[in-house]
Amino acid sequence: MAKIGCDISDPKRAPEGKKRILWADNDMPVLQLVRQRFGKTKPLRGMRMSCCLHVTAETANLVRTLKAGGATVALCASNPLSTQDDVAASLVKDFGISVYARRGESVKVFYQHLNATIDQRPNVTMDDGADLVNQLHTKRKAHAGAIIASMEETTTGVIRLRAMESSGALMFPVIAVNDAATKHLFDNRYGTGQSTLDGIVRATDILLAGAKVVVAGYGWCGRGVSERARGMGAHVTVTEVDPLRALQAAMDGFNVAPMAEAVRYGDLFVTLTGDKHVIRREHFAKMKDGAIVCNSGHFDVELDIPALAKLAKKVNRGVRNHVDEYVLSGGRRIFLLAEGRLVNLSAAEGHPASVMDMSFATQALAGEYARKAGSKLETRVHDVPSEVEDWVAKLKLQSMGIKIDKLTPEQKHYLASSGEGT
């Protein structure tokens, strides 16, 4: 039996964490089915899996599934503010998982934890932001040769990995779980849409009805936030750099404007782009008194926080939980949420378990696929196999009590032939 390692905040919180994990599991029926099969067939037997993911109740059920499949699992946090300390404690005590995560950990400790998971000499990794992969390509290259494949969970990570592939730097195959339809069409859109607004409301108690909300980015995450904010009565402006996405936002009925214009009237700003310094010094300088700024992209660099700090005459930390007040010249105030980190995980609980059910079932099955494919996988970024996508979608529909039609033999023949016409 593998030795369990850990660096967690409070082992005594394990009972509380176990309740949270099992409650989330109630809403993850597809992952339950995967775990049941994994428990019988052990497709991951002998695998050493290092995971850098948000340490939440939903993630706990994923790593339980990996362990049921026979894998030895080590988990660290992909964000210093997203860890649920009670969940971390329960994973160690109740489920025998090595966990290295503390809510609010420093950047130094974050990298110590990242390296602790690599110390178990993984042959498969799971990432949310590509930090593990990046470490294996820079500081820990000696361990990269043992990696069969990696799975990537988020848009930001896939962007980094495709850049590595293009430059020829990628050292092992990666499966872009984020790009699976069962992930980005649902998790990114419905999960991020709901959980981001949940985090904002918990932190600020803002009334969204009538508020002028500015959403930076109209990818699937930005669409989700825009749709949910409009549904709660907000006046939504979308900012974009991509003409096609800007056109989609306009045809979906949203106001579209440059950030330089939107900063003059926005009450609430949310970034979801995966890029750097989307809101910069010149934008902060034009915001009105009381503007609220937050980020729901993976890294905190979407907001130029150092520039905001230089503009401020005074910073009042913690005026509310997860709210810092930056006082600019003339007494104008800008409120920054969750230190610019993922507001949905820092100020709330992240995505609902029901939507993570599909993402994490896909993640677990991608791990099984990587094991079976082995050395046949080319060193590049791969899509999730279509059969995995179809299986997860069908089971999710079944769990929701939804039935759909099937093609008749005549329809199958028609779609497969070219003989019939006008």
Side-chain angles (χ1 to χ4, degrees):
M1 182 175 178
K3 182 180 177 182
I4 299 170
C6 73
D7 182 17
I8 57 177
S9 291
D10 188 357
K12 294 180 181 178
R13 295 187 64 187
E16 176 187 349
K18 186 174 183 180
K19 288 180 182 177
R20 195 199 287 242
I21 292 167
L22 296 180
W23 177 260
D25 198 40
N26 289 330
D27 252 353
M28 305 181 83
V30 180
L31 191 62
Q32 285 180 27
L33 289 172
V34 176
R35 187 160 62 248
Q36 289 168 13
R37 179 170 68 78
F38 274 20
K40 295 175 182 177
T41 62
K42 303 294 181 185
L44 305 178
R45 190 188 303 276
M47 301 298 291
R48 297 184 302 278
M49 304 185 75
S50 292
C51 305
C52 182
L53 304 166
H54 298 295
V55 183
T56 64
E58 294 76 23
T59 300
N61 287 312
L62 168 62
V63 296
R64 286 176 61 203
T65 302
L66 301 177
K67 184 180 179 184
T72 300
V73 184
L75 172 68
C76 67
S78 60
N79 188 289
L81 290 181
S82 65
T83 296
Q84 296 168 350
D85 286 326
D86 56 340
V87 168
S90 179
L91 277 174
V92 174
K93 181 181 178 182
D94 301 310
F95 301 105
I97 305 294
S98 295
V99 181
Y100 306 90
R102 295 171 174 263
R103 184 176 178 85
E105 63 191 26
S106 66
V107 173
K108 180 181 178 181
V109 172
F110 173 85
Y111 279 98
Q112 288 174 351
H113 288 167
L114 204 64
N115 283 309
T117 67
I118 296 174
D119 287 342
Q120 79 152 359
R121 299 176 295 110
N123 37 36
V124 171
T125 66
M126 287 189 175
D127 243 332
D128 194 323
D131 281 324
L132 265 179
V133 167
N134 185 60
Q135 196 74 347
L136 285 162
H137 280 70
T138 53
K139 307 292 186 182
R140 304 294 298 272
K141 285 185 177 181
H143 291 77
I147 304 296
I148 296 171
S150 180
M151 269 60 70
E152 175 52 53
E153 175 73 12
T154 199
T155 305
T156 300
V158 172
I159 290 170
R160 297 174 82 183
L161 293 163
R162 291 199 187 281
M164 292 170 71
E165 179 187 356
S166 296
S167 67
L170 193 64
M171 298 170 68
F172 46 76
V174 176
I175 300 174
V177 174
N178 177 78
D179 291 356
T182 43
K183 199 280 184 184
H184 73 262
L185 289 178
F186 301 93
D187 174 330
N188 292 10
R189 185 178 187 179
Y190 301 107
T192 303
Q194 178 170 314
S195 64
T196 297
L197 295 186
D198 183 23
I200 292 166
V201 171
R202 289 196 201 197
T204 64
D205 198 32
I206 186 178
L207 177 66
L208 286 166
K212 295 180 178 65
V213 176
V214 179
V215 178
Y218 202 66
W220 288 110
C221 293
R223 292 178 199 193
V225 171
S226 299
E227 290 168 355
R228 294 297 169 270
R230 178 167 62 184
M232 296 181 75
H235 304 285
V236 179
T237 293
V238 171
T239 70
E240 251 298 347
V241 296
D242 185 298
L244 286 174
R245 287 182 176 177
L247 185 59
Q248 285 180 313
M251 290 192 171
D252 284 342
F254 296 107
N255 182 47
V256 178
M259 184 62 75
E261 178 183 317
V263 290
R264 298 183 181 277
Y265 54 78
D267 299 310
L268 168 65
F269 297 82
V270 190
T271 55
L272 307 103
T273 69
D275 209 341
K276 185 177 183 180
H277 293 176
V278 179
I279 298 182
R280 304 179 293 277
R281 179 187 177 93
E282 65 265 30
H283 300 137
F284 291 124
K286 295 177 182 177
M287 287 182 184
K288 63 184 182 183
D289 180 40
I292 298 169
V293 181
C294 66
N295 168 55
S296 204
H298 186 78
F299 292 118
D300 59 356
V301 297
E302 300 210 18
L303 307 174
D304 190 352
I305 300 170
L308 176 59
K310 287 180 180 178
L311 276 175
K313 302 298 181 184
K314 182 181 180 183
V315 180
N316 298 314
R317 304 286 182 189
V319 293
R320 276 177 63 95
N321 285 339
H322 310 297
V323 182
D324 294 330
E325 179 186 57
Y326 287 74
V327 183
L328 280 57
S329 59
R332 191 162 47 90
R333 300 158 302 156
I334 293 175
F335 296 103
L336 175 67
L337 307 188
E339 301 175 16
R341 297 192 181 276
L342 284 157
V343 70
N344 59 337
L345 279 150
S346 300
E349 297 183 47
H351 296 358
S354 178
V355 76
M356 292 309 299
D357 185 31
M358 284 185 287
S359 297
F360 282 162
T362 303
Q363 183 81 274
L365 293 170
E368 179 185 32
Y369 168 74
R371 172 64 183 274
K372 289 179 178 178
S375 60
K376 295 178 182 178
L377 278 180
E378 297 177 32
T379 299
R380 61 180 177 83
V381 179
H382 295 258
D383 292 330
V384 172
S386 59
E387 57 267 27
V388 169
E389 296 256 57
D390 289 345
W391 190 83
V392 171
K394 287 175 182 176
L395 283 179
K396 192 63 177 178
L397 284 170
Q398 182 181 319
S399 74
M400 298 169 73
I402 297 172
K403 297 179 180 180
I404 61 174
D405 287 322
K406 294 181 180 180
L407 293 174
T408 66
E410 180 187 27
Q411 290 170 332
K412 290 179 181 178
H413 175 74
Y414 177 78
L415 293 174
S417 64
S418 59
E420 293 186 47
T422 303

